[in-house]
Amino acid sequence: MRERSMLATATLLAMTAGIGCSASGPAFQKVAVPEGKSVVYAYRPKSIFGAAIQPGVSCGQPGPGLKPGGYHAFVLDPGTVTCSASTESTSEVQVDAMPNGSSYVREKIGIGFFVGRPHLEVVDEATGEREISNCKQQ
Amino acid sequence: MRIDMKGAVGALALVTLAAIGVGSASGLALGVLAVAAAAGARRPVGSSGIVVLAMSLVGCMQTATRPPLEHVQARPLGLTGRVEGEHARGLPLSLERAASSTTDVVFRYDERVVHDHSELPPALMILLTSPLHLLGVPTGRDTVTASAELTVLRGPREIGRYEGDATVSRIYGLYYGSTLRELEDRARVEVRRVIDEALYKNADHLAAATDGTQP
């Protein structure tokens, strides 16, 4: 009996954590790129692994901590932009932000010693567009 | 003192869940080992752990997926051109040598890099390998693919188009391989060699297409 109640509590906690840690803003919508500017989308696909942590992602300017299933659009001047995120280690990638173009940076949380580590990846436009369509704005 | 083993197993299962939530290897290892020990397993990471260790090491060796290229010797291309496109981070050697601002030939060069980061499936990591990662067993693999495209134009006429890609990858663990910069640089160098090779092979055709009438 006690085992069952422990299991139920654990399941409930996991579900609550899963719901509480997911992004809940408006569904993805492409940003209209201002003339001569560039947009870098940072997004984090849903995963229960590392769901409790939200390392802040910056791309040329500070951004929010992305929750699982969340994204943020950075409107920037074109050029080489450095995106980074940190917990116990830092992940850093460089993005070639094209004028009037969009770039996509995916954040995954990998295993860490004490806490999960962010891994940023520049992905191609097709992959980025497909995956970000399931994300919500932060 | 009497220990309530079932209660302990439940509590440790909660610790494991929390560790999953924050992606902590030490928390996972603690939870997995403790749950296994409380459940009566004498060797929780015994033979299965060794199998996973072997799989990790075999599966995660550093490789470049493209066969090694011949060493490209820089030499005159037989024509010069204006280089268009973003190239703050470098160019193929052949284009660097052939760059000129007083010519009607244009080299339109575009280079892109994408990353891929793969880890063992979370379930496997949670159940078996988290203690091993603390000992240095790789946790995943980073792959960088660089793609390049070069279009050679004379006025509006395209006289050559070359494409190439190069993929390099590397394993990483909790104590090594945390930055992608070096991997990215290697992928860029490789793809530039691909373009160099293609361009040099086709140099005669390009020179003929300009009829030796370049300024």
Side-chain angles (χ1 to χ4, degrees):
Chain A
M1 194 63 189
R2 185 168 176 167
E3 280 169 83
R4 281 188 187 169
S5 64
M6 286 292 281
L7 190 64
T9 311
T11 311
L12 195 65
L13 274 173
M15 284 171 69
T16 312
I19 293 164
C21 293
S22 291
S24 56
F28 173 70
Q29 263 199 320
K30 261 197 152 182
V31 171
V33 190
E35 186 58 35
K37 293 280 187 177
S38 185
V39 178
V40 176
Y41 293 101
Y43 70 96
R44 179 176 167 188
K46 279 186 182 171
S47 168
I48 191 170
F49 197 77
I53 55 169
Q54 290 123 37
V57 177
S58 66
C59 285
Q61 50 188 244
L66 292 180
K67 293 180 176 181
Y71 82 92
H72 183 75
F74 296 88
V75 178
L76 304 159
D77 290 325
T80 301
V81 177
T82 301
C83 294
S84 67
S86 299
T87 53
E88 65 178 23
S89 73
T90 299
S91 175
E92 198 176 278
V93 290
Q94 290 195 313
V95 184
D96 294 320
M98 299 299 195
N100 308 315
S102 304
S103 310
Y104 294 85
V105 175
R106 177 171 62 199
E107 183 190 39
K108 287 181 182 172
I109 302 296
I111 199 163
F113 194 94
F114 292 113
V115 67
R117 296 178 180 180
H119 295 272
L120 297 181
E121 307 161 282
V122 177
V123 297
D124 61 67
E125 204 165 338
T127 306
E129 278 185 0
R130 191 181 65 246
E131 293 183 342
I132 204 172
S133 63
N134 300 318
C135 294
K136 294 184 173 167
Q137 193 183 356
Q138 280 190 243
Chain B
M1 188 176 72
R2 190 169 168 272
I3 299 171
D4 178 356
M5 292 306 282
K6 286 175 184 170
V9 169
L12 289 165
L14 283 176
V15 171
T16 308
L17 264 178
I20 293 167
V22 295
S24 164
S26 47
L28 281 172
L30 181 71
V32 169
L33 289 174
V35 168
R42 287 177 194 280
R43 290 184 297 168
V45 287
S47 54
S48 53
I50 291 166
V51 169
V52 173
L53 173 68
M55 280 167 61
S56 303
L57 291 174
V58 170
C60 294
M61 292 298 176
Q62 181 171 335
T63 55
T65 55
R66 207 191 134 77
L69 293 160
E70 297 162 23
H71 179 67
V72 177
Q73 201 73 274
R75 56 182 187 271
L77 202 53
L79 77 162
T80 57
R82 270 184 299 118
V83 181
E84 280 186 359
E86 170 62 46
H87 49 84
R89 283 195 265 169
L91 282 170
L93 213 51
S94 52
L95 293 192
E96 257 177 31
R97 297 265 173 127
S100 165
S101 55
T102 57
T103 167
D104 57 349
V105 172
V106 171
F107 295 127
R108 192 169 289 160
Y109 184 69
D110 185 34
E111 193 176 277
R112 299 289 173 103
V113 167
V114 292
H115 307 108
D116 184 50
H117 157 84
S118 55
E119 283 193 337
L120 293 169
L124 189 66
M125 212 183 273
I126 291 161
L127 294 174
L128 291 172
T129 60
S130 49
L132 300 173
H133 296 315
L134 295 177
L135 300 175
V137 169
T139 55
R141 177 192 289 276
D142 281 322
T143 304
V144 177
T145 302
S147 314
E149 186 179 305
L150 170 68
T151 310
V152 185
L153 301 157
R154 189 168 199 208
R157 190 165 64 97
E158 181 180 305
I159 57 174
R161 181 187 285 265
Y162 310 90
E163 290 175 345
D165 54 69
T167 301
V168 294
S169 67
R170 174 204 58 194
I171 55 168
Y172 66 87
L174 290 176
Y175 314 110
Y176 50 91
S178 61
T179 170
L180 282 177
R181 186 68 63 86
E182 184 201 345
L183 207 58
E184 205 177 296
D185 289 346
R186 275 185 45 215
R188 286 183 186 276
V189 167
E190 289 283 314
V191 81
R192 286 170 196 161
R193 286 171 63 188
V194 172
I195 296 293
D196 277 336
E197 213 172 53
L199 205 51
Y200 284 133
K201 271 185 187 159
N202 209 21
D204 291 343
H205 160 76
L206 289 173
T210 57
D211 303 325
T213 56
Q214 270 202 293

